[in-house]
Amino acid sequence: MPKSWTDDAPVPVVLQDHAHLKDSFAYKVKRKLLGNPLNRHSLGHQRLSKRYALGILSSDCISSSAYGSEQILIALLPAFGLAAFSILMPMTAVVLIILTIITLSYRNVINVYTKTGGAYIVSRDNFGPVVAQIAAVALMLDYIVTVAIQSAAGVAAIISTFPNLSPVKIPMILLVIGVLTYGNLRGVKEAGKAFALPTYFFVGCMFIVFGMGIYKALTGTLETLSTSQPGAIAVGESHGLLTAAAIFILLRAFANGGSSLTGLEAISDGVALFEQPEHVNARRTLFVMSGLLGSLVLGVSWFAHKIHAMPYESGTPTVISQIAKTIVGDGAFGQTMFIMVQLATMLILFAGANTTYSAFPILVNFVASDGYLPRQLTKRGHRLAFSNGIILLSGGGIFLVLFTAGSVEHLVAFYALGVFTGFCLAGFGMTRHALRNKTGAWRAKVFINALSGSISFFVVIIFAVVKFTEGAWLVLVTAPILVVSFLRLRRQYTREQEALSVKREHERATSIARHDVTVLVDSVDLATVGAIRYARSLNPRNLAAVHFVIDDRRAEEIQKAWALSDALDDVTLELIDCPDRRLANSTLDYAIRMTEKEDVELTLLLPRRSYSGFLGRLLHDQTAEEIAAPISQLPRVVATIVPFDVDRIATRSSIQFVPPEKKKAPVSPAPKLVAPINVEPVSHYAENITAISEIQWRKRAQVQGRVTSIKTAPRGSAPTLQVEIWDETGGVSLQFLGRREIAGLEVGSQMRAEGMVGEEEGSMVILNPSYELLV
């Protein structure tokens, strides 16, 4: 190309967008369903005030008050009869005491881990990676069960209002999970402020119900329900509390009530979402959330005790719906208020299920980043969500719904085991942290955290025993298998990383002087000629072709065709006997023989003919891959597969490109007509920003755009840095001499630059511009 200073040289141009491959049908469907892909640079970090954070992060926790008291009654009524309503209040008091202790423990977690402090992080930092995987498995199972149980409970609220929908209970639950999955794959963020509404709506409705109920209780107008309704849980005979069977049932009821405490860790997991000072705001929000949860659990239990609200075998109507129906009455206001309460209950339960679509993918992202889960779980999808984690979560939730027939009672058996395992590890982890650091009131911290860990451990043991036959066995069997699998996966990743790590003797990646290239020949055709042409471009010391003889007649035909081809007249064809027809073994023997000398490097080129989908795989073998696999294990031998698209030639098709969209520079208002000025003002700086497509060669310009490419000179050469920036109209290169980096500059950032426009290889370049990085 003529240089810019020579006569008749082409005028340099700005960089232009190239054509792109035509979208496949599958990608078009994906884009239709999920929308256009989001640029990773649009991934923002939204800070939340305390009131929004409370509504968004506490929906899982507060929604569990909708079924915690009911689960206690389900365990007590068949064994203790109507005395169960008297036992309910002491049992609720025990649950609230545990709530207080665990809240104080998580207060310490937030003070120490001011960005994110779930049980996984606490366990990893204080007990190491092995114990952390126990926390990871517990939390993963907890999140999967949360999706199932919250969706099932939300549908139960709908069926309590509209009993005719009971036959389609399972399809409704699956529909809810499907809608939540679809919304999160599209990028619906948990931090969206709309998700705060269900929490406040539910709390407001329940406090109105409680207020009306207290008034009716004080005036003696609070109705007591019949305990012999058809479909209700069978009421047993009352007997003593000190028998072994009675103690077992009390422990089972206590374990059921523990489901009210799920979701307490959400604040500690989302500390980074809060406005500054993060840990202070998160700590205050934690106390408010625990206070609201305690009030709701206490209110539901007290009114269930007062009106004798009975759980039903089918799960509907729910205890909370009976409380609302009894208190608000059957008038016009009562019916409206009842529907409002049920709507609020449904919304907060579904919002609680939705929170796991943010928490679960982030958790598995942490675990996968540490190497204990497949790396695919660390990748963001089409809309910047962790799509693989979302799909894994929804798949697990759907399995549990089908496995338990959508029964909240049966799902509780899977629930609190994972939750309290997390509480236990977080409590003991913070105990160890306090003992190591001994700062501030460390003795009080040790006491609170050790008490929290011990109580949680006690609950785990109770749950494992009393719920074993109801489904806890599945968790107890699955969890150790998953932990061992995680650790084994980590060992595999470690071995691979060590194998690929650059040792000191490998740091100088020098080339071996004697480089030979051999092309493996199966037939004389365009694929072989293309492979030979590519082999010549490698400038080998020796270029040869080898055919392993399995069929004498075919070998003779190849030899004749080789001799007649003008394109191959400078390459020697060697025929090697392959008596057992094992091409991989023969190729391995050949490669070992050719690299016996330490200074020889061998490249084997294997032409691979690509045929049409299923029919191509049916009619042709995949020999190239079978040969390349063992060859890759030899030192100083490289097997390179050279693809050749036969189907494209056979069908006379070509790659379809989509031309780039033509973008125009922003239209500026028409300038005023003024008398021409003959003398150009003297200036060494362009003050106004110019669209990149309108910059002119040999004139100064100020441009602004997004950094799409950064190229740094190798360490052994003169320091230079080349940055490519683009706006809506085109791109231009910025060249910085004498430096290899710019602090704060990264691909995707916005940059403004000003300087003289020059030329390099026909493209415009701004040399050593002044610049500004834009936030």
Side-chain angles (χ1 to χ4, degrees):
M1 174 178 288
K3 297 298 181 182
S4 58
W5 57 82
T6 62
D7 294 334
D8 301 323
V11 176
V13 295
V14 298
L15 302 173
Q16 297 295 328
D17 198 7
H18 300 291
H20 303 286
L21 286 175
K22 187 178 180 180
D23 293 340
S24 64
F25 175 75
Y27 185 79
K28 288 179 180 178
V29 172
K30 182 178 183 179
R31 195 169 65 177
K32 191 73 174 177
L33 290 174
L34 301 181
N36 292 323
L38 295 179
N39 190 304
R40 74 180 189 281
H41 304 293
S42 65
L43 186 66
H45 185 63
Q46 183 178 6
R47 296 282 182 164
L48 300 175
S49 63
K50 292 190 291 293
R51 67 177 182 274
Y52 282 119
L54 174 65
I56 293 166
L57 298 177
S58 66
S59 57
D60 177 21
C61 181
I62 290 178
S63 64
S64 60
S65 64
Y67 50 80
S69 302
E70 180 173 351
Q71 295 303 314
I72 296 177
L73 287 173
I74 288 174
L76 293 177
L77 281 168
F80 298 104
L82 296 181
F85 291 107
S86 299
I87 302 171
L88 175 61
M89 293 311 297
M91 192 73 69
T92 301
V94 174
V95 171
L96 295 181
I97 291 171
I98 295 175
L99 167 65
T100 303
I101 294 170
I102 294 176
T103 299
L104 293 174
S105 176
Y106 270 93
R107 175 185 180 273
N108 294 328
V109 172
I110 292 171
N111 284 335
V112 173
Y113 295 90
T114 57
K115 296 301 179 185
T116 181
Y120 178 76
I121 303 296
V122 175
S123 301
R124 186 187 65 186
D125 290 355
N126 294 285
F127 294 121
V130 176
V131 177
Q133 301 323 303
I134 299 176
V137 169
L139 291 174
M140 287 171 63
L141 294 176
D142 170 36
Y143 290 138
I144 291 173
V145 177
T146 298
V147 170
I149 198 170
Q150 299 280 67
S151 301
V155 169
I158 297 175
I159 295 175
S160 296
T161 310
F162 306 102
N164 294 334
L165 295 176
S166 182
V168 291
K169 173 183 173 182
I170 299 297
M172 287 175 66
I173 298 174
L174 298 181
L175 177 63
V176 169
I177 294 177
V179 169
L180 291 176
T181 302
Y182 175 68
N184 282 275
L185 287 175
R186 280 189 64 93
V188 175
K189 297 186 182 302
E190 179 193 25
K193 294 181 179 179
F195 284 97
L197 175 62
T199 299
Y200 290 109
F201 185 32
F202 176 75
V203 171
C205 288
M206 291 309 299
F207 280 177
I208 291 173
V209 170
F210 290 166
M212 294 176 64
I214 292 171
Y215 173 78
K216 286 190 173 184
L218 293 176
T219 58
T221 58
L222 186 62
E223 181 184 354
T224 301
L225 300 178
S226 170
T227 57
S228 58
Q229 295 291 334
I233 294 285
V235 178
E237 296 292 332
S238 178
H239 54 76
L241 298 178
L242 298 180
T243 64
I247 292 173
F248 182 83
I249 292 168
L250 288 172
L251 291 176
R252 175 183 290 176
F254 168 70
N256 280 7
S259 62
S260 299
L261 306 184
T262 56
L264 270 177
E265 76 284 351
I267 300 292
S268 65
D269 287 338
V271 176
L273 290 172
F274 284 82
E275 292 178 346
Q276 295 180 342
E278 295 97 335
H279 68 288
V280 175
N281 290 327
R283 194 170 61 224
R284 292 172 180 171
T285 305
L286 174 67
F287 283 132
V288 174
M289 180 184 73
S290 297
L292 288 174
L293 175 62
S295 302
L296 291 169
V297 171
L298 180 61
V300 172
S301 293
W302 190 77
F303 282 107
H305 154 72
K306 293 295 288 184
I307 70 172
H308 288 183
M310 294 289 295
Y312 280 71
E313 294 283 357
S314 64
T316 56
T318 60
V319 166
I320 195 171
S321 70
Q322 294 176 61
I323 292 172
K325 186 76 171 176
T326 303
I327 291 175
V328 300
D330 295 325
F333 170 78
Q335 291 180 359
T336 303
M337 191 64 202
F338 175 69
I339 293 175
M340 294 282 284
V341 170
Q342 293 303 97
L343 176 63
T345 305
M346 178 199 71
L347 289 177
I348 194 171
L349 287 166
F350 291 162
N354 184 72
T355 58
T356 61
Y357 280 91
S358 175
F360 180 88
I362 291 175
L363 170 66
V364 295
N365 171 52
F366 283 150
V367 180
S369 298
D370 291 340
Y372 293 94
L373 278 174
R375 296 278 165 79
Q376 289 89 332
L377 293 170
T378 64
K379 296 178 180 178
R380 294 187 181 271
H382 189 75
R383 301 282 292 180
L384 296 181
F386 292 109
S387 303
N388 293 326
I390 290 172
I391 293 171
L392 178 62
L393 173 65
S394 60
I398 289 172
F399 169 77
L400 284 179
V401 168
L402 297 176
F403 185 75
T404 62
S407 169
V408 175
E409 179 188 356
H410 293 151
L411 285 167
V412 166
F414 300 99
Y415 204 10
L417 196 58
V419 175
F420 278 93
T421 300
F423 292 163
C424 173
L425 293 174
F428 287 137
M430 292 308 299
T431 302
R432 185 164 189 177
H433 180 275
L435 289 172
R436 281 177 172 177
N437 294 276
K438 295 184 178 180
T439 57
W442 65 272
R443 289 185 177 86
K445 294 176 183 176
V446 168
F447 174 76
I448 291 293
N449 292 316
L451 182 61
S452 173
S454 301
I455 291 175
S456 300
F457 179 72
F458 179 64
V459 174
V460 169
I461 298 299
I462 292 174
F463 219 97
V465 174
V466 302
K467 290 287 186 179
F468 185 82
T469 58
E470 298 179 23
W473 65 268
L474 185 60
V475 177
L476 295 173
V477 170
T478 304
I481 295 174
L482 289 176
V483 170
V484 172
S485 301
F486 288 7
L487 296 175
R488 184 166 185 176
L489 187 63
R490 172 61 180 172
R491 286 196 296 270
Q492 178 65 24
Y493 273 132
T494 301
R495 282 196 297 267
E496 293 172 356
Q497 190 172 358
E498 289 175 353
L500 292 173
S501 61
V502 180
K503 307 294 191 300
R504 182 173 295 275
E505 61 269 20
H506 300 148
E507 287 184 353
R508 293 296 295 170
T510 54
S511 299
I512 296 178
R514 302 177 64 184
H515 177 216
D516 297 337
V517 176
T518 298
V519 179
L520 301 188
V521 176
D522 184 48
S523 61
V524 181
D525 55 15
L526 281 177
T528 301
V529 172
I532 293 291
R533 186 184 300 116
Y534 172 64
R536 292 193 186 102
S537 69
L538 299 177
N539 296 322
R541 182 187 62 134
N542 292 321
L543 172 58
V546 168
H547 172 69
F548 293 104
V549 180
I550 343 180
D551 184 332
D552 293 321
R553 181 174 296 177
R554 180 172 176 78
E556 185 178 350
E557 292 173 356
I558 290 175
Q559 193 172 26
K560 290 179 179 178
W562 193 275
L564 296 174
S565 175
D566 294 334
L568 308 172
D569 57 2
D570 61 334
V571 180
T572 302
L573 174 65
E574 181 179 1
L575 303 180
I576 298 178
D577 188 24
C578 183
D580 58 0
R581 295 169 301 284
R582 299 170 67 188
L583 292 176
N585 277 3
S586 298
T587 308
L588 198 67
D589 292 339
Y590 174 81
I592 293 173
R593 188 171 71 252
M594 297 300 295
T595 55
E596 287 179 346
K597 296 182 179 179
E598 294 292 332
D599 61 344
V600 175
E601 186 178 61
L602 176 66
T603 295
L604 290 174
L605 298 183
L606 295 86
R608 183 184 65 184
R609 297 151 185 86
S610 301
Y611 301 93
S612 59
F614 172 75
L615 187 60
R617 289 190 294 271
L618 184 66
L619 299 178
H620 306 278
D621 57 23
Q622 304 294 319
T623 310
E625 286 80 359
E626 296 173 5
I627 295 174
I631 291 298
S632 62
Q633 302 176 32
L634 295 177
R636 294 177 289 108
V637 179
V638 177
T640 301
I641 294 176
V642 184
F644 190 82
D645 194 342
V646 178
D647 183 57
R648 179 176 58 84
I649 297 176
T651 58
R652 298 182 180 179
S653 61
S654 59
I655 299 177
Q656 293 183 320
F657 292 100
V658 178
E661 296 180 5
K662 294 184 178 180
K663 298 177 181 177
K664 298 181 180 179
V667 179
S668 54
K672 287 185 177 181
L673 295 176
V674 296
I677 300 175
N678 294 325
V679 180
E680 186 177 5
V682 178
S683 173
H684 296 286
Y685 186 82
E687 295 184 357
N688 299 322
I689 294 177
T690 306
I692 292 178
S693 65
E694 296 182 356
I695 63 176
Q696 298 181 31
W697 180 37
R698 292 179 175 173
K699 290 191 176 181
R700 301 191 72 86
Q702 183 173 190
V703 296
Q704 179 178 321
R706 185 170 64 87
V707 177
T708 61
S709 169
I710 301 174
K711 184 163 63 176
T712 307
R715 190 172 63 179
S717 62
T720 60
L721 179 69
Q722 184 168 318
V723 179
E724 197 173 288
I725 68 171
W726 286 71
D727 66 8
E728 294 180 349
T729 64
V732 66
S733 293
L734 313 177
Q735 286 194 356
F736 299 88
L737 304 181
R739 64 194 311 174
R740 287 193 172 87
E741 63 178 354
I742 294 176
L745 179 67
E746 56 185 27
V747 173
S749 57
Q750 290 285 327
M751 187 178 193
R752 183 180 297 158
E754 191 280 336
M756 181 64 71
V757 180
E759 177 269 348
E760 183 181 36
E761 299 295 334
S763 297
M764 292 191 187
V765 174
I766 302 179
L767 187 63
N768 277 339
S770 58
Y771 65 90
E772 179 183 0
L773 299 181
L774 306 176
V775 179

